[in-house]
């Protein structure tokens, strides 16, 4: 179960995030933001195409 003697966070005395100080958090944030932008652009194009059908 819990990897320490007692099942509480009181025995944790250091950072548990192994990527601290590296480039991975920044890269992951950039990838997530890029995916969000791509989804928004594709969605806007799709909705614009659908709206043009009703303008006719």
């Amino acid at each position: 179960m819990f990897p320490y003697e007692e099942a509480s966070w009181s025995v944790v005395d250091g950072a548990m995030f192994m990527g601290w100080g590296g480039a991975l958090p920044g890269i992951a944030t950039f990838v997530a933001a890029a995916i969000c932008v791509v989804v928004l652009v594709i969605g806007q194009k799709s909705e614009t195409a659908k709206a043009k059908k009703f303008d006719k």
Side-chain angles (χ1 to χ4, degrees):
M1 295 203 7
F2 204 75
Y4 300 103
E5 291 85 25
E6 56 183 87
S8 81
W9 289 104
S10 64
V11 294
V12 179
D13 57 353
M16 294 296 291
F17 179 59
M18 299 303 290
W20 184 257
L24 185 59
I27 293 170
T29 301
F30 176 75
V31 169
I35 290 171
C36 289
V37 169
V38 168
V39 168
L40 288 171
V41 168
I42 291 172
Q44 182 64 34
K45 286 183 180 180
S46 171
E47 291 299 317
T48 301
K50 290 177 185 177
K52 285 183 181 179
K53 289 181 183 178
F54 292 108
D55 289 340
K56 291 181 181 180

